[in-house]
């Protein structure tokens, strides 16, 4: 305690401003709290199950840690203000230069920033833990094992049907037609219950031309002849169209048309999965685009699986599944798989057909397992005979789906076979594996490891610190009475502007956004100019209101100017062309926030001259 008093005495004698703001002790206390939050962040997700959810990015806010953060920040700031403002000499404007006044403001800013940014320490602790617990090289190796074992985690029947196959090479190069209304019955095709598969060779044509709406134009003469498009691929500024050509017989490669491990060509997890979603889910599913890079990765999975099956070596398959379960145990993924039984389930099936399906979750006692994702639900209904009819089956969205009569025509044995739904239910096992939890964990680890939380969020805390330090500075300079009158005046002014805007928009049908913008610009200029040119004529009390509003509202005034420029740029651009136009806000992006914040500090530095003149006025 004696040592602390000695330090305080030295600060008072040599650095009175630093002694008054208590910045040394506040930064020391802030650092201690930051270390505590770093430890909390490090320990927050030590249990792997905490990563098995959709997203952990917002756990800081959802788990209540933010409330602890707010309570500590409020207590620290309030305690700091009490200690600082009890010094009467400084409260009464201890003689100082404009640089010392600005130095006080900067110190207020640093103290408040230090006392409000515990979130960053928490996230640094969290990321440090992830990097140590889940090293990038080890995680990449684990993902490779998971993807290789994924074909045997038979949870979705649709991943094992014939159209998914990409190996050997003919399956990769050809297009599989699955629409039974487009099957050429005079040529070789394959059937599985009410489904049909026919493989076509394709040829490609590239189009670089677009129509008025920006859509690529289908090349000629295919466009005029309405040649069926198999799939497309976008490459740089052009689009490649693949058209169906001739039917190819792949009977020599296909041992069975039932769901088979040979058909599996999917990837459990791709690193940088946001890019995977954009390229696969959006482009492929919704626009029929084919991504060659992803297709090659899927084909590699299919090739590795097929080669493993061709060896027919249970020991090698068991080793792969053992490694997979070891990783699952490390990540604490809930399951009841037994590696011996699982291996036998794979190797004992004829033609390596999928004869045992694994549940995606553990049903409660007495609960029936709910499965989904199997197409053509209407197929549960037995079709008695083909008849002349134009009746079409509609799905829940009203879209036309395959006609049962046509399915029976393509597959006369349909009524003697099990539908995909019944096949799945008949072959479901009591084993379960929470695969979505594994996918969530891998996604969270990768996303959080690459998440740049500091760059995205720091400007928010900078602005909070700037406005709070400005309010404290206003109180320090003008006192509580003036600050309260300034807040009331700002509210009345905002209400008045709103009422005038509504009135003018009704009476004169003016553009509200321009009217409000220019009215705000005019009022802002008046508020800024009065303390500079009319301070002594307005009186000290009235001037203090304009001074406080100027300090707290200057950055908003600059943002208003940028907003007006942006509105004019946007409207002028719309008159010239219909294409999307970039404005000053678009060009600067997040950098605009930092530029305006810097201008706020520069303004505060020069405005301290006005504050000295205001303080020198008689009461």
């Amino acid at each position: 305690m004696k040592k602390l008093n000695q330090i305080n005495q030295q600060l008072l004698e040599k650095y009175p401003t630093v002694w008054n703001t208590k910045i040394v002790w506040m930064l020391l206390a802030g650092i201690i709290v930051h270390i505590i939050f770093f430890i909390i962040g490090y320990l927050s997700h030590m249990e792997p199950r905490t990563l098995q959810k959709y997203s952990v990015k917002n756990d800081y806010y959802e788990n209540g840690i933010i409330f602890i953060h707010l309570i500590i920040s409020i207590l620290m700031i309030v305690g700091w203000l009490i200690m600082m403002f009890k010094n009467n000499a400084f409260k009464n404007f201890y003689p100082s230069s404009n640089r010392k006044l600005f130095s006080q403001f900067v110190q207020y800013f640093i103290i408040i920033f230090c006392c409000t940014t515990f979130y960053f320490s928490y996230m640094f602790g969290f990321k440090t833990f992830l990097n140590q617990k889940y090293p990038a090289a080890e995680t990449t190796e684990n993902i490779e094992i998971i993807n290789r074992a994924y074909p045997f985690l038979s949870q979705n029947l649709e991943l094992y049907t014939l159209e998914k196959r990409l190996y050997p090479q003919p399956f990769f190069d050809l297009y599989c037609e699955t629409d039974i209304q487009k099957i050429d019955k005079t040529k070789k095709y394959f059937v599985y219950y009410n489904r049909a598969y026919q493989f076509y060779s394709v040829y490609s044509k590239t189009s670089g031309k677009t129509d008025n709406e920006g859509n690529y134009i289908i090349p000629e003469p295919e466009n005029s002849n309405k040649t069926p498009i198999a799939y497309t691929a976008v490459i740089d500024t052009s689009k490649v169209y693949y058209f169906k050509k001739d039917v190819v017989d792949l009977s020599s490669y296909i041992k069975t048309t039932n769901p088979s491990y040979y058909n599996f060509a999917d990837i459990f997890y791709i690193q940088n999965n946001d890019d995977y979603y954009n390229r696969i889910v959006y482009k492929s599913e919704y626009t029929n685009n084919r991504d060659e890079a992803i297709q090659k990765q899927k084909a590699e999975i299919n090739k590795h699986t097929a080669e493993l099956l061709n060896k027919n070596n249970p020991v090698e398959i068991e080793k792969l599944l053992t490694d997979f379960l070891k990783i699952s145990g490390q990540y604490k993924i809930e399951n009841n798989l037994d590696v011996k039984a699982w291996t036998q389930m794979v190797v004992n099936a004829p033609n390596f057909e999928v004869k045992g399906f694994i549940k995606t979750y553990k049903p409660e006692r007495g609960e029936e397992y709910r499965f989904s994702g199997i197409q053509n639900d209407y197929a549960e209904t037995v079709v008695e005979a083909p008849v002349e009819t134009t009746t079409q089956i509609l799905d829940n969205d009203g879209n036309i789906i395959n006609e049962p009569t046509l399915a029976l025509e393509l597959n006369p044995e349909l009524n003697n076979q099990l539908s995909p739904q019944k096949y799945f239910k008949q072959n479901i096992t009591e084993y379960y594996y929470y695969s979505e939890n594994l996918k969530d964990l891998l996604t969270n680890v990768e996303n959080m490891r690459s998440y740049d939380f500091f760059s995205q969020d720091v400007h928010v805390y900078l602005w909070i610190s700037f406005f709070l330090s400005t309010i404290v500075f206003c109180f320090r300079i003008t006192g509580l009475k003036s600050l309260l009158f300034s807040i009331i005046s700002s509210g009345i002014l905002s209400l008045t502007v709103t009422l005038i805007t509504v009135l003018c928009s009704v009476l004169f049908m003016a553009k509200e956004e321009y009217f409000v913008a220019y009215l705000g610009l005019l009022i802002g200029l008046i508020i800024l100019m009065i303390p500079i040119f009319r301070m002594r004529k307005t009186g000290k009390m009235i001037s203090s209101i304009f001074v406080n509003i100027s300090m707290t509202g200057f950055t908003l005034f600059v943002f208003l100017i940028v907003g007006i420029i942006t509105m004019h740029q946007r409207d002028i651009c719309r008159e010239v062309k219909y294409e999307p136009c970039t404005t000053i806000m678009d060009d600067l992006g997040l950098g605009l926030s930092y530029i305006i914040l810097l201008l706020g500090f520069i303004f505060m530095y020069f405005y301290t001259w006005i504050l000295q003149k205001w303080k020198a006025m008689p009461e």
Side-chain angles (χ1 to χ4, degrees):
M1 191 66 181
K2 184 178 180 180
K3 187 64 175 177
L4 296 179
N5 290 333
Q6 290 177 351
I7 295 174
N8 269 329
Q9 187 64 31
Q10 291 180 355
L11 291 174
L12 177 60
E13 294 173 357
K14 296 181 180 181
Y15 310 101
T17 302
V18 173
W19 172 84
N20 178 59
T21 59
K22 309 297 181 186
I23 187 172
V24 174
W25 308 118
M26 290 305 299
L27 290 182
L28 181 60
I31 290 172
I32 293 173
V33 178
H34 274 283
I35 293 174
I36 293 173
F37 271 82
F38 177 88
I39 296 172
I40 293 174
Y42 189 90
L43 301 177
S44 61
H45 293 81
M46 294 193 73
E47 171 57 54
R49 291 187 181 90
T50 60
L51 296 170
Q52 298 172 18
K53 52 191 289 190
Y54 173 68
S55 175
V56 297
K57 188 181 295 184
N58 297 319
D59 278 3
Y60 186 80
Y61 303 99
E62 296 174 355
N63 292 347
I65 302 176
I66 182 62
F67 295 109
I68 300 175
H69 172 165
L70 291 175
I71 292 171
I72 294 175
S73 295
I74 292 171
L75 290 176
M76 291 183 68
I77 292 174
V78 171
W80 164 62
L81 292 175
I82 292 173
M83 289 189 298
M84 184 174 64
F85 288 130
K86 71 180 181 180
N87 302 308
N88 291 328
F90 286 88
K91 182 179 179 182
N92 292 314
F93 212 41
Y94 186 85
S96 58
S97 65
N98 65 306
R99 290 185 178 180
K100 288 184 178 180
L101 285 176
F102 180 71
S103 174
Q104 284 189 42
F105 171 76
V106 173
Q107 290 179 53
Y108 296 162
F109 175 84
I110 294 173
I111 291 170
I112 294 174
F113 184 77
C114 179
C115 294
T116 56
T117 52
F118 305 130
Y119 165 76
F120 297 120
S121 298
Y122 172 90
M123 294 301 291
F124 274 124
F126 185 13
K127 290 191 68 172
T128 301
F129 165 75
L130 289 179
N131 289 326
Q132 292 181 356
K133 179 68 174 179
Y134 307 98
E138 180 183 315
T139 303
T140 301
E141 183 179 340
N142 288 345
I143 289 173
E144 183 179 353
I145 295 173
I146 291 169
N147 285 332
R148 288 167 52 196
Y150 182 41
F152 306 107
L153 194 64
S154 47
Q155 295 182 315
N156 185 350
L157 179 143
E158 296 298 338
L159 296 177
Y160 299 88
T161 50
L162 188 57
E163 79 276 12
K164 299 295 192 302
R165 191 167 180 178
L166 295 175
Y167 179 82
Q169 191 64 33
F171 290 94
F172 185 87
D173 296 331
L174 302 178
Y175 169 71
C176 182
E177 179 61 72
T178 58
D179 187 342
I180 62 175
Q181 298 184 21
K182 298 178 182 179
I183 297 296
D184 185 349
K185 290 180 286 187
T186 64
K187 297 180 180 179
K188 182 62 179 179
Y189 63 89
F190 306 88
V191 293
Y192 166 56
Y193 194 67
N194 64 333
R195 309 180 186 193
Y197 313 97
Q198 195 165 49
F199 293 90
Y200 284 83
S201 60
V202 296
Y203 67 95
S204 64
K205 282 193 174 183
T206 303
S207 172
K209 299 180 180 179
T210 57
D211 56 22
N212 295 332
E213 297 180 355
N215 299 318
Y216 286 98
I217 299 174
I218 301 174
E220 296 292 347
E222 285 76 14
N223 187 27
S224 301
N225 297 337
K226 299 186 181 303
T227 305
I229 300 174
Y231 52 88
T232 59
V234 176
I235 302 176
D236 297 329
T237 58
S238 60
K239 189 171 186 177
V240 182
Y241 289 85
Y242 293 86
F243 299 95
K244 293 165 60 174
K245 190 176 180 182
D246 301 318
V247 174
V248 179
D249 186 1
L250 295 181
S251 301
S252 58
Y253 296 102
I254 300 172
K255 299 178 181 179
T256 177
T257 58
N258 290 332
S260 170
Y261 293 107
Y262 276 109
N263 300 332
F264 190 93
D266 195 27
I267 309 171
F268 182 82
Y269 185 81
I270 292 183
Q271 290 178 293
N272 191 6
N273 56 332
D274 287 338
D275 184 53
Y276 171 74
Y277 176 84
N278 292 331
R279 295 164 66 184
I280 301 305
V281 176
Y282 179 75
K283 289 185 179 179
S284 298
E285 182 176 343
Y286 296 105
T287 62
N288 196 34
N289 280 345
R290 170 167 160 162
D291 191 297
E292 291 296 323
I294 298 298
Q295 286 294 100
K296 288 179 180 178
Q297 292 184 51
K298 289 184 174 182
E300 280 298 315
I301 296 293
N302 199 177
K303 177 183 178 182
H304 182 274
T305 304
E307 291 176 345
L308 191 60
L309 296 175
N310 290 337
K311 293 178 182 178
N312 198 16
N313 186 350
V315 176
E316 192 171 345
I317 295 177
E318 183 177 336
K319 182 181 183 306
L320 175 61
L321 301 185
T322 301
D323 292 340
F324 175 79
L325 290 180
K326 182 180 178 181
I327 295 171
S328 302
Q330 177 185 341
Y331 295 155
K332 295 191 177 179
I333 306 300
E334 187 176 353
N335 69 91
N336 67 341
L337 289 172
D338 176 76
V339 68
K340 296 288 185 182
W342 189 9
T343 304
Q344 294 304 312
M345 191 166 60
V346 173
V347 299
N348 289 341
N351 295 320
F352 290 104
E353 296 179 6
V354 183
K355 292 294 185 179
F357 291 98
I358 298 169
K359 298 175 181 177
T360 57
Y361 67 93
K362 178 183 179 181
E364 297 293 334
R365 180 175 297 180
E367 176 189 3
E368 183 178 359
Y369 177 71
R370 302 182 303 276
F371 65 93
S372 59
I374 298 181
Q375 301 174 6
N376 301 331
D377 291 335
Y378 77 91
E380 290 284 2
T381 304
V382 175
V383 180
E384 295 183 354
V387 294
E388 292 293 331
T389 178
T390 59
T391 303
Q392 292 171 316
I393 307 300
L394 302 180
D395 62 15
N396 294 331
D397 298 323
N399 300 316
I400 299 174
I401 59 177
N402 303 334
E403 296 184 12
T405 53
L406 182 57
L408 185 58
E409 184 179 345
L410 291 171
N411 182 14
E413 298 297 321
L414 184 146
N415 286 337
N416 299 324
Q417 298 174 351
L418 288 174
S419 69
Q421 292 83 356
K422 288 182 178 179
Y423 182 86
F424 185 90
K425 292 177 70 173
Q426 179 175 296
N427 290 284
I428 192 73
T429 68
E430 293 302 316
Y431 293 108
Y432 61 86
Y433 186 93
Y434 283 73
S435 54
E436 285 302 314
N437 289 0
L438 176 59
K439 191 171 294 185
D440 287 338
L441 184 143
L442 296 173
T443 302
N444 284 321
V445 169
E446 181 181 18
N447 289 349
M448 291 306 302
R449 198 156 43 199
S450 61
Y451 178 46
D452 186 8
F453 61 90
F454 187 82
S455 299
Q456 294 192 20
D457 300 330
V458 68
H459 74 286
V460 175
Y461 288 91
L462 287 172
W463 277 109
I464 292 173
S465 303
F466 182 83
F467 279 115
L468 288 179
S469 58
T470 302
I471 293 173
V472 173
F473 194 59
C474 289
F475 178 73
R476 160 74 175 84
I477 300 297
T478 63
L480 180 61
K481 184 177 180 180
S482 296
L483 181 59
L484 292 177
F485 274 117
S486 301
I487 295 173
I488 295 171
S489 300
S490 299
I492 294 173
L493 190 60
S494 301
L495 180 60
T496 303
V497 170
T498 302
L499 293 175
I500 293 174
T501 303
V502 174
L503 182 62
C504 291
S505 64
V506 173
L507 295 179
F508 306 108
M509 302 297 290
K511 286 188 176 181
E512 294 182 12
E513 57 179 7
Y514 278 102
F515 181 81
V516 173
Y518 278 102
L519 181 60
L521 182 65
L522 177 62
I523 294 173
L525 285 172
I526 293 173
I527 292 174
L528 287 171
M529 292 299 105
I530 286 179
I532 299 175
F533 300 107
R534 307 286 296 179
M535 182 185 294
R536 294 190 178 277
K537 293 186 178 181
T538 55
K540 192 166 187 177
M541 184 63 195
I542 301 300
S543 295
S544 67
I545 295 175
F546 287 100
V547 166
N548 288 336
I549 296 177
S550 296
M551 287 192 290
T552 55
F554 176 76
T555 51
L556 299 177
F557 179 75
V558 175
F559 183 78
L560 176 63
I561 295 174
V562 176
I564 292 174
I565 296 173
T566 299
M567 288 191 295
H568 282 289
Q569 283 182 313
R570 181 191 60 202
D571 291 344
I572 293 172
C573 184
R574 285 177 178 174
E575 293 176 1
V576 175
K577 57 182 181 179
Y578 295 101
E579 299 177 9
C581 303
T582 58
T583 63
I584 186 173
M585 284 190 177
D586 298 322
D587 293 334
L588 294 177
L590 195 58
L592 178 63
S593 173
Y594 297 106
I595 292 173
I596 295 178
L597 184 64
L598 179 61
L599 291 175
F601 277 100
I602 296 172
F603 171 81
M604 292 297 293
Y605 175 77
F606 288 104
Y607 206 71
T608 53
W609 296 93
I610 304 298
L611 297 179
Q612 285 185 311
K613 291 181 179 180
W614 175 85
K615 194 64 178 180
M617 291 176 61
E619 296 295 337

